[in-house]
Amino acid sequence: VVEIDRHVRAEAVPLFIAQTSEAFRAGRHLAISDVAAMLVNAWTALKGRFGGPEVSRICLELNPFRKVAVCAEDCSVYTFSEKFEFAATHTLWNDKFSDQKNLDVFGKCANPLGHGHNYVVEVAVERPLEGQEFHIGQFEKAVNEAFIQSVDHKNLNAQVPEFAELNPTVENIARVAWRRLEGRFSGAVLSSVTVWENDKTYCTFRG
Ligand code: NI
């Protein structure tokens, strides 16, 4: 870990400082694809530095919600992801189970009158490194319109058609979100959807 820390500070961080400073001095906007290109440069700089093990993924957190990542030095695509939030009520219940078995399987989430969660949904898309600039505003608009608006401040069982006959578990919410979001992004392909109902319980769906 100390070796990783030392090499990232010595080899990768100065690249980011140099490239962002240069863009700032030139008054040039840094596109998300420019950030991805920096990650590829960092990959090259870190190659062979760890005495055997090699880098498998480099991810830059732009803020607590947005990330840009690359998974190869010669990659032609990068991953952009953003976290969204929604609050909703649900009940997890299976009519084929006894009352006791529902409580055993679903725990507190089996309360028949429902209860709330503050959900977090991370949507990741893959984009080509070359090509048109990625518009985060359009991406956010698409996620909000296709999914978030229909679940935020709703009773998932009663007000979201997909959950009329399907338990709104994190697994099923991730799958429903995937179906709603797939094909919605111009110039980007949906890569994964992760849903957290709290810090411990989450699911990632990749189609
Ligand atoms: Ni619950």
Side-chain angles (χ1 to χ4, degrees):
V1 172
V2 170
E3 285 288 287
I4 293 171
D5 191 80
R6 187 164 66 83
H7 284 294
V8 171
R9 285 179 197 281
E11 265 81 52
V13 171
L15 289 177
F16 289 97
I17 293 171
Q19 289 170 57
T20 50
S21 302
E22 188 195 327
F24 183 76
R25 276 195 298 272
R28 189 163 49 82
H29 166 71
L30 276 175
I32 295 296
S33 56
D34 295 326
V35 175
M38 284 187 218
L39 295 177
V40 173
N41 290 341
W43 194 297
T44 305
L46 292 170
K47 205 172 170 182
R49 299 279 182 182
F50 305 117
E54 288 294 348
V55 174
S56 67
R57 186 168 186 268
I58 301 185
C59 178
L60 183 70
E61 295 193 13
L62 301 174
N63 59 35
F65 304 99
R66 295 174 181 164
K67 293 178 198 161
V68 180
V70 295
C71 289
E73 186 189 8
D74 57 352
C75 67
S76 57
V77 296
Y78 65 88
T79 304
F80 172 82
S81 63
E82 180 160 339
K83 285 180 178 171
F84 299 79
E85 295 165 322
F86 71 92
T89 279
H90 78 165
T91 297
L92 300 184
W93 193 266
N94 186 334
D95 288 335
K96 291 175 186 158
F97 294 169
S98 65
D99 288 6
Q100 188 56 49
K101 188 167 180 189
N102 271 299
L103 290 172
D104 291 345
V105 171
F106 299 119
K108 289 180 186 172
C109 285
N111 178 4
L113 295 181
H115 62 279
H117 288 286
N118 290 318
Y119 291 92
V120 174
V121 183
E122 186 172 57
V123 180
V125 292
E126 284 188 352
R127 288 261 315 159
L129 263 171
E130 308 291 332
Q132 285 184 326
E133 190 173 334
F134 180 59
H135 293 282
I136 293 176
Q138 288 174 7
F139 167 79
E140 289 179 335
K141 188 167 180 282
V143 174
N144 279 315
E145 288 179 358
F147 184 66
I148 300 294
Q149 282 174 11
S150 63
V151 291
D152 191 26
H153 287 68
K154 297 286 170 65
N155 179 321
L156 298 180
N157 304 72
Q159 295 180 285
V160 180
E162 286 94 331
F163 299 121
E165 302 290 329
L166 184 69
N167 257 334
T169 59
V170 283
E171 297 93 326
N172 286 330
I173 295 170
R175 194 162 55 163
V176 165
W178 177 281
R179 284 185 190 148
R180 297 267 195 107
L181 295 170
E182 196 177 17
R184 290 279 183 157
F185 310 111
S186 70
V189 176
L190 186 58
S191 169
S192 68
V193 175
T194 302
V195 177
W196 288 262
E197 69 175 26
N198 54 47
D199 287 343
K200 285 192 287 190
T201 306
Y202 72 96
C203 175
T204 298
F205 189 74
R206 296 192 175 86

